[in-house]
Amino acid sequence: MADHAPSSTARLDYSKTVNLPRTDFPMKANLPAREPEIQRRWRDEDLYGRVRRAREGAPRFVLHDGPPYANGDIHIGTALNKVLKDIVVKFATMRGFDAPYVPGWDTHGMPIEHAALRALGLNRRDLSALELRHKCQEFALKYRDVQREEFKRLGVLGDWGDPYMTLHPEYEARQIQVFGQMAQKGYIYKGLKSVYWCASCETALAEAEVEYYDKKSASIYVAFAVTDGKGKLPEGSRVVIWTTTPWTIPANLAIALHPDFEYGLYDTPKGRLLLAKDLAAPSLQAFGVEGKLISSYRGSDLEGVLTRHPLFDRSSVVVLGEHVTLEAGTGCVHTAPGHGPEDFDLGVKYNLGVLNPVDERGCFTEEAGPFAGMFIEQANGPVIEAMRENGSLLAQGTLTHSYAHCWRCKNPILYRATEQWFASVEGFRRQALEAIKQVRWIPAWGEERIGNMVADRADWCISRQRSWGVPIPIFYCRQCGHYLATDATIDAVSELFRREGADAWWRYEADRILPPGVTCPDCGGREFRKETDTMDVWFDSGSSHAAVLESRGLGWPCDLYLEGSDQHRGWFQSSLLTAVATRGRAPYRAVLTHGFVVDGEGRKMSKSVGNVIYQGVRGRHPAAVGRVLRLQGRHPGFPRHPEATGRGLPQDPQHGALFAGQPPRLESGGGPGGG
């Protein structure tokens, strides 16, 4: 026995003391190397096609992909959205459904144009419309391919060989038809309104294209001397306004009071000043004076009082407005119809006219007198100094407040009264609100969120002063200016785009596009010019339910839209509006929203902000691990299809069943795609 005892210094190989199976399976996962091999096998074996063929004839479940912008690499936020969609589609497939997934890309508008011109180092003013369009298309196609490979690397299965893109001729043709259907129902009109305007991008913006950030602004109190008190206010007394946009003073035409508020005339060392009584104390403190109340009025008593403009030889009239509040200022609101929606409405009501002395680049025109040529923000100082010199400036300070900024360039924007094309949401608002109730919203608070947005929103400004996009298919009579949009002209444009794409709008003159023999219904004229504006990019993606679900035979409406919660004001809403306007109901049965990947400051990651993280979605790390890390939250319990299991459908107590034998009737309960 002693002869066979192991040496005390011998090393024992414990692997020989355990019975283990013999296998070629590697001890290390080595996912960065193994995953591409697995995905190549999926591609070579056409796994997506095989799954679809295996499910042929099964009940359909369609998740419609919200298209991300093809303007750069995907980031972690984009990956989160795509992975969630992939999990839902694969789960539906495993539960016995035929679940096609057609990925898409949003390829028009400022998100692409900004990125393309910046990357190529080009100035859009140096390019013709067609040259700019070709540069943008090349850029979008490049990043379509880049993102497609990145999504595939994440293990997302779908129809990658035939995705949809908003620049595809067939898509553009269907979008023109959606516009035409809305126009023929009277929902499209051209009007002069005060709209969001980005001076840097030189275009109008929609509500979904506006973001709010803190901005430090000048805060001023200005006195308007009374010239005709209408027997109420003594001449020489002064109506005091407060504003944080001194540059809008040259456009002032009126002063708004609330009809039901109490106002007082106060005797002060700076003259007799009219102030809302509830705001008199803080206002007088700001002026550095004390005041004695000498008379009182209701706002409605002072309608029609005339004052002298503090900079120009003209009158500013006192008008009444329900929008006036007592939250800040003086209760007397500076009113410039060219630079605010409420101001504009009052201008229409009181027939004040519209004074807009600011051009598309944000510079004053000759109408602004001595300030002509100045950029509006740079004009704040000269405007303030001019009022200081003539004694109308009572106090000056600064205020940091939330202010509207452009979603692409991130610069502050302004309201500017211009003629634009609008979709009349008011014309179908009630239908839209009813349609919202027929959709299942996950989480349930999504219904109230989008409902409030639709209930309160103004008409949709759909025109953009750009050339990279789908043109607004309108023609103008050269003789009388009447605009033309009939079934025949819409069909002609749609068929042309189907054959040649939207470039044809810039390639041909109007007579080459219009049907033969078209005449102006007003004057009989035969010569026309084309509209130069393009459609809002949200109209592009908002038409995808027609251009993809219907055109590809996926079924309309679809079962699910799945995007970040910012899309209640974006793609969910634009899709809802175009669908209700043309078809009378929502294009989706259910909508599921998820949260965002945020940066260290808690802000949503966004390429336009520049706070994104790309690491982990470019192949340097295992995609499978990345998918797991992006799924920290709980998703609804999805029941198996009864035909696949032979069992009934268990109901999640919060969400119920998303998947049913036939698409169920679901009761009410920062672009899409995380781009």
Side-chain angles (χ1 to χ4, degrees):
M1 295 291 291
D3 293 339
H4 299 285
S7 169
S8 61
T9 60
R11 304 182 69 179
L12 182 62
D13 183 355
Y14 287 100
S15 68
K16 300 185 183 305
T17 69
V18 181
N19 288 325
L20 293 174
R22 296 184 179 276
T23 176
D24 294 329
F25 196 83
M27 294 298 292
K28 292 185 177 180
N30 195 21
L31 291 177
R34 292 284 293 163
E35 284 180 343
E37 296 175 6
I38 295 170
Q39 290 170 355
R40 277 194 294 272
R41 187 169 75 247
W42 290 355
R43 180 196 63 202
D44 295 343
E45 295 178 356
D46 185 23
L47 179 60
Y48 175 76
R50 290 176 61 190
V51 169
R52 290 295 316 283
R53 289 189 290 274
R55 286 287 183 263
E56 187 174 355
R60 277 277 180 92
F61 179 87
V62 176
L63 183 156
H64 181 34
D65 187 35
Y69 295 117
N71 62 348
D73 291 272
I74 69 172
H75 55 80
I76 290 180
T78 327
L80 167 66
N81 177 261
K82 219 65 166 185
V83 167
L84 290 173
K85 292 173 179 176
D86 187 55
I87 289 172
V88 170
V89 171
K90 286 175 178 173
F91 202 91
T93 301
M94 290 188 291
R95 293 306 191 193
F97 288 85
D98 176 16
Y101 179 62
V102 179
W105 277 273
D106 210 339
T107 52
H108 285 140
M110 289 193 296
I112 309 301
E113 183 181 319
H114 267 285
L117 294 179
R118 183 172 59 247
L120 299 173
L122 299 173
N123 186 328
R124 67 184 180 88
R125 295 185 181 86
D126 296 334
L127 304 172
S128 69
L130 280 173
E131 287 172 337
L132 174 64
R133 289 179 62 81
H134 292 162
K135 294 293 185 183
C136 290
Q137 178 168 324
E138 291 172 3
F139 184 86
L141 290 175
K142 170 187 173 181
Y143 279 102
R144 182 275 313 269
D145 293 340
V146 168
Q147 291 187 12
R148 173 163 51 189
E149 292 308 308
E150 291 172 333
F151 287 138
K152 289 163 69 174
R153 181 65 184 85
L154 287 171
V156 178
L157 289 183
D159 193 358
W160 296 113
D162 188 22
Y164 80 87
M165 297 181 72
T166 58
L167 59 69
H168 281 160
E170 175 62 29
Y171 192 107
E172 293 172 331
R174 292 304 298 265
Q175 182 175 331
I176 292 295
Q177 291 175 351
V178 171
F179 178 94
Q181 291 166 0
M182 293 178 67
Q184 293 312 308
K185 291 185 176 183
Y187 296 146
I188 303 293
Y189 69 93
K190 190 172 189 178
L192 176 66
K193 289 192 177 186
S194 188
V195 299
Y196 291 119
W197 185 273
C198 178
S200 300
C201 300
E202 298 181 31
T203 186
L205 300 174
E207 291 180 5
E209 298 170 319
V210 175
E211 299 173 344
Y212 287 84
Y213 305 106
D214 283 348
K215 178 179 181 291
K216 188 175 182 179
S217 299
S219 167
I220 60 173
Y221 292 85
V222 182
F224 287 62
V226 173
T227 58
D228 182 356
K230 303 298 181 183
K232 299 288 186 178
L233 290 178
E235 290 188 18
S237 57
R238 310 167 89 185
V239 180
V240 184
I241 66 94
W242 172 76
T243 183
T244 56
T245 53
W247 63 266
T248 60
I249 293 292
N252 175 277
L253 295 177
I255 301 168
L257 310 183
H258 195 287
D260 300 326
F261 289 172
E262 291 291 326
Y263 291 85
L265 190 64
Y266 294 84
D267 190 15
T268 78
K270 293 181 180 288
R272 295 183 174 184
L273 308 179
L274 184 76
L275 305 163
K277 286 186 175 180
D278 288 351
L279 294 170
S283 296
L284 293 171
Q285 183 178 11
F287 309 156
V289 301
E290 295 182 353
K292 178 182 179 182
L293 179 65
I294 55 177
S295 55
S296 300
Y297 312 89
R298 285 177 63 86
S300 56
D301 298 334
L302 303 176
E303 185 178 22
V305 166
L306 296 179
T307 68
R308 184 173 62 249
H309 192 281
L311 292 172
F312 303 111
D313 185 20
R314 66 169 186 258
S315 293
S316 292
V317 63
V318 172
V319 298
L320 304 179
E322 298 285 345
H323 66 290
V324 178
T325 73
L326 297 174
E327 294 178 1
T330 65
C332 308
V333 177
H334 152 54
T335 300
H339 298 302
E342 293 92 355
D343 301 40
F344 183 89
D345 291 343
L346 281 181
V348 172
K349 177 181 177 180
Y350 284 92
N351 196 28
L352 301 177
V354 176
L355 176 58
N356 175 29
V358 177
D359 67 16
E360 67 278 3
R361 299 188 186 188
C363 295
F364 278 121
T365 65
E366 295 300 322
E367 290 180 293
F371 311 108
M374 296 181 186
F375 183 66
I376 55 173
E377 290 290 343
Q378 296 169 351
N380 277 333
V383 168
I384 292 172
E385 189 57 34
M387 292 188 295
R388 189 192 314 278
E389 291 177 358
N390 66 30
S392 58
L393 182 71
L394 297 183
Q396 176 186 358
T398 59
L399 176 72
T400 299
H401 59 141
S402 181
Y403 193 84
H405 288 67
C406 174
W407 68 321
R408 301 322 301 176
C409 69
K410 307 305 178 184
N411 289 323
I413 62 176
L414 64 146
Y415 276 108
R416 182 167 177 262
T418 61
E419 278 199 332
Q420 301 290 336
W421 286 98
F422 295 88
S424 176
V425 178
E426 188 59 36
F428 53 89
R429 190 188 311 275
R430 184 176 300 177
Q431 289 175 276
L433 293 173
E434 184 59 34
I436 289 170
K437 298 177 182 178
Q438 306 307 315
V439 174
R440 182 159 165 243
W441 300 91
I442 308 168
W445 53 255
E447 178 179 347
E448 182 178 6
R449 178 177 170 84
I450 192 171
N452 289 339
M453 290 177 174
V454 171
D456 296 337
R457 70 162 295 153
D459 285 350
W460 179 7
C461 178
I462 61 171
S463 50
R464 297 292 178 272
Q465 289 65 53
R466 320 300 287 183
S467 54
W468 179 233
V470 177
I472 292 178
I474 298 290
F475 299 87
Y476 298 90
C477 175
R478 290 189 180 275
Q479 186 167 317
C480 71
H482 178 81
Y483 69 82
L484 184 69
T486 65
D487 289 343
T489 64
I490 292 294
D491 288 345
V493 174
S494 178
E495 289 306 312
L496 175 64
F497 287 8
R498 184 172 281 110
R499 296 192 307 270
E500 302 184 29
D503 279 358
W505 188 259
W506 286 268
R507 191 178 298 127
Y508 303 124
E509 293 299 325
D511 60 349
R512 294 280 304 277
I513 300 175
L514 287 166
V518 170
T519 60
C520 174
D522 273 18
C523 71
R526 295 179 177 274
E527 294 185 357
F528 296 87
R529 63 177 178 85
K530 298 170 295 181
E531 173 60 72
T532 57
D533 289 351
T534 55
M535 292 190 216
D536 174 15
V537 68
W538 292 103
F539 199 102
D540 288 24
S541 59
S543 302
S544 64
H545 60 86
V548 180
L549 296 178
E550 287 185 336
S551 294
R552 297 198 176 209
L554 297 175
W556 197 103
C558 74
D559 294 286
L560 183 66
Y561 276 30
L562 192 163
E563 304 294 339
S565 59
D566 57 339
Q567 296 308 312
H568 289 108
R569 68 193 294 260
W571 189 53
F572 298 156
Q573 189 173 147
S574 63
S575 299
L576 173 78
L577 297 180
T578 58
V580 169
T582 57
R583 292 156 177 78
R585 65 161 297 177
Y588 35 69
R589 292 186 174 89
V591 173
L592 191 154
T593 55
H594 60 79
F596 305 118
V597 178
V598 298
D599 64 13
E601 298 178 8
R603 299 176 303 169
K604 171 195 170 186
M605 287 191 181
S606 169
K607 290 193 290 287
S608 60
V609 174
N611 63 341
V612 296
I613 296 175
Y614 295 105
Q615 187 175 9
V617 296
R618 287 177 170 166
R620 292 194 295 268
H621 301 282
V625 175
R627 288 173 66 106
V628 172
L629 292 177
R630 293 178 188 106
L631 296 174
Q632 296 299 311
R634 172 184 178 273
H635 65 79
F638 294 139
R640 187 181 301 273
H641 186 271
E643 294 179 8
T645 65
R647 296 193 299 269
L649 290 174
Q651 297 291 308
D652 178 271
Q654 180 180 0
H655 302 296
L658 274 182
F659 307 134
Q662 294 297 325
R665 177 185 177 88
L666 296 170
E667 301 304 323
S668 61

